Amino acid sequence: MKLNFEFAIYDEELDKFELDDKIYTFELNEEQAKTFELLKDADLHLYNWFKESEYFIHWLKTEIYPDSIGKKIAIATIDDILYLRFYFFKVTSADSHYEYFKKLFDIIEESDWQDREEIGEQILEALKVKRKDLIIELKDDESEQVETSN
């Protein structure tokens, strides 16, 4: 099974993401394809599965971003599963994004008249933490071994 990926590059100094305009194809073996089918409807579980996959990280470091140790990236899309809203949410974003994040972060609207900007600011605050969880830092193998042994 082949999946198309798009990535966003994280600039730590500016605390912002920029899209990598290329589409990359990643091939899953049969076992991975079964796991993908189980997780594809649970977008953050799917994201974390890829983020924690040694095979996927190796592919990123050797095929997609060779010689980019220290680069910080995030998955923007996996086929038609979009993660862009995590990196590019704005107070003016569409209602569907508001609803998604209100549910994800358990944000309760106290009334219909509550200011949309107020809810947007709560979402942005919660996203500050969540975005950090989604970032994949490409590390050399030695530093990864040191971190896992601590």
Side-chain angles (χ1 to χ4, degrees), residues 113-130:
W113 56 264
Q114 191 168 4
D115 191 0
R116 180 180 169 109
E117 281 188 35
E118 185 179 318
I119 298 297
E121 292 300 324
Q122 289 179 39
I123 292 170
L124 285 170
E125 278 300 309
L127 277 173
K128 283 182 184 178
V129 175
K130 190 53 138 176

Side-chain angles (χ1 to χ4, degrees), residues 82-107:
L82 302 175
Y83 298 95
L84 294 170
R85 65 176 118 206
F86 285 93
Y87 321 123
F88 301 110
F89 179 84
K90 293 183 175 29
V91 173
T92 56
S93 290
D95 289 343
S96 62
H97 301 301
Y98 269 82
E99 294 308 315
Y100 177 87
F101 286 126
K102 285 183 345 189
K103 182 177 178 182
L104 180 67
F105 298 129
D106 293 324
I107 296 173

Side-chain angles (χ1 to χ4, degrees), residues 71-87:
K71 184 175 224 153
K72 294 183 178 186
I73 63 163
I75 299 170
T77 65
I78 304 172
D79 278 347
D80 61 349
I81 303 167
L82 302 175
Y83 298 95
L84 294 170
R85 65 176 118 206
F86 285 93
Y87 321 123

